[in-house]
Amino acid sequence: MLINEVRKQVRAELESPAERRHLGTGWVSGVTALIASVAGLCFVLCLRYPSILTVPQIRSLYAHPAFRLGLHFLLIGAFAMAIVSLVLRTNKILGFSAITITLLATILGGSRVHSQSGELTGGAFLGLDWFVMNVIFTGFLFVPIERLFARYPDQLLFRVEWREDLFYYLVSSLFVQVLTFMSMAPALAIASHTSWTTFRHWIGSQPAIVQLIEIMFFTDLVQYWVHRAFHRVPFLWGFHAVHHSAKAMDWMASARMHFLEIIALRSLTVIPMMILGFTDIALHAYILIVYIHSALLHANVRWEFNRIGKFLATPRFHHWHHGVEKEAIDVNFAIHFPLFDRLFGTYYLPREKWPEGYGIEGHPVPVSYWAQMWYPFRRKKS
């Protein structure tokens, strides 16, 4: 099949060795063009079918003229960078692929595309726009940091199993509505059956920074024990093993998590957030912080953070949680505060030392996304 052959060639080009990726080879311009063209096509589809492919909370952005202007320049930039790649690179697959995708986005309407969905409703949707924004924001934030301050400089951007982790981003973003509904259901049920009006008013009257620290404390306390249970209970470990199957650590590895584990973990950790009466500004600030912090903990950075690491979880602290060494088994469960690991005897952080490798000994978890989804139900019990 032609499409399958093109896919293989594109993947081979993205995973090119270092000597074929330096400036002047057309690799950077080709990758940039491909990413921009795919993002542009996704946004055109979102504008064309907003009721199906967009998150309601983001739809107001699309009515602003600046969004369509930005999309217009995004598609022009993708085309221009593709031309540069075609001129500089011997293998033309990245440039031709980017031009093809850009032309397809243009044929579908480009920045002037008209909505085909009619009146927007509050029904079911897929968060395609959330996926694009998610990857672009996190990628723009962490790719330069990981290139400049890498713990493992030889680790490629498109390293081993990058496609699987990107697909995890896609699935969790597309089904953000389902994940949010199922994750919030227990907390909302508790909140609806409790009348702590005075207490909640007192919590919400505190300074926002105090509320933020309290949210971090209570969610991490719950998360610590849920996380620890996923390690110690054999059936639950089958789900969490998927997250630990990553053999390389970077910002994309943070997305690797079994769909059912996401629901279980979030549905329990959000309970204190939602029932104690914290204000929206404190909740939104926490969501942004945990979003960036969780990616940072997995990032390929060499920063030690020795001083702040006494109080907050750092990349080295969490890398040891993913280490393949025996010393790294069942340690460092906290996501925010190492205090919990110190209190409950699971703290491990040798001075100025990082793990030699990552993953699970013997690497029993299969590689593909769908095989990993079935792994908890098919794995052999040890």
Side-chain angles (χ1 to χ4, degrees), residues 5-265:
E5 183 61 30
V6 170
R7 180 187 63 82
K8 290 180 179 179
Q9 290 186 37
V10 169
R11 179 187 175 186
E13 275 292 276
L14 293 175
E15 299 173 354
S16 295
E19 60 271 14
R20 295 178 56 199
R21 290 185 287 110
H22 58 77
L23 290 176
T25 62
W27 186 85
V28 174
S29 56
V31 171
T32 303
L34 185 63
I35 294 174
S37 63
V38 172
L41 175 61
C42 289
F43 281 132
V44 169
L45 291 173
C46 289
L47 289 173
R48 191 177 178 90
Y49 308 106
S51 64
I52 302 174
L53 300 177
T54 64
V55 177
Q57 291 81 353
I58 305 178
R59 288 172 185 167
S60 59
L61 295 176
Y62 304 138
H64 199 286
F67 181 84
R68 289 183 179 265
L69 181 62
L71 176 57
H72 185 70
F73 282 112
L74 180 65
L75 294 174
I76 292 176
F79 189 87
M81 296 302 288
I83 296 297
V84 173
S85 180
L86 288 175
V87 172
L88 296 177
R89 197 157 185 81
T90 303
N91 190 323
K92 312 296 184 182
I93 191 65
L94 292 179
F96 279 130
S97 298
I99 287 177
T100 301
I101 296 171
T102 303
L103 291 176
L104 176 59
T106 304
I107 292 172
L108 289 174
S111 60
R112 297 182 179 182
V113 62
H114 297 289
S115 173
Q116 304 294 313
S117 299
E119 184 178 354
L120 296 180
T121 63
F125 63 86
L126 297 173
L128 180 62
D129 54 349
W130 180 242
F131 164 70
V132 178
M133 294 181 182
N134 199 359
V135 173
I136 289 178
F137 174 78
T138 317
F140 266 90
L141 184 62
F142 284 101
V143 169
I145 292 175
E146 290 189 343
R147 293 305 95 193
L148 294 172
F149 307 102
R151 168 62 189 170
Y152 306 101
D154 294 333
Q155 181 172 300
L156 303 178
L157 172 61
F158 298 99
R159 41 73 174 167
V160 60
E161 297 180 14
W162 67 270
R163 295 181 305 155
E164 284 74 19
D165 290 335
L166 187 61
F167 196 73
Y168 274 100
Y169 262 109
L170 176 63
V171 172
S172 62
S173 299
L174 286 180
F175 295 100
V176 63
Q177 183 183 36
V178 176
L179 289 172
T180 302
F181 174 79
M182 299 189 72
S183 299
M184 296 292 291
L188 294 177
I190 294 173
S192 65
H193 289 83
T194 53
S195 55
W196 304 340
T197 306
T198 303
F199 175 73
R200 287 170 176 156
H201 176 74
W202 176 76
I203 290 290
S205 65
Q206 299 176 104
I209 185 64
V210 175
Q211 295 184 55
L212 177 60
I213 295 173
E214 290 172 347
I215 294 173
M216 293 177 67
F217 180 87
F218 288 118
T219 55
D220 204 20
L221 177 60
V222 174
Q223 187 278 150
Y224 174 91
W225 287 108
V226 175
H227 192 177
R228 191 166 177 174
F230 268 96
H231 275 255
R232 302 305 299 165
V233 178
F235 176 71
L236 296 179
W237 169 247
F239 295 93
H240 193 56
V242 171
H243 181 62
H244 277 266
S245 67
K247 304 179 186 68
M249 292 289 279
D250 63 6
W251 62 278
M252 284 195 292
S254 63
R256 180 180 297 213
M257 189 174 291
H258 196 283
F259 197 84
L260 296 181
E261 184 188 0
I262 296 176
I263 296 172
L265 182 63

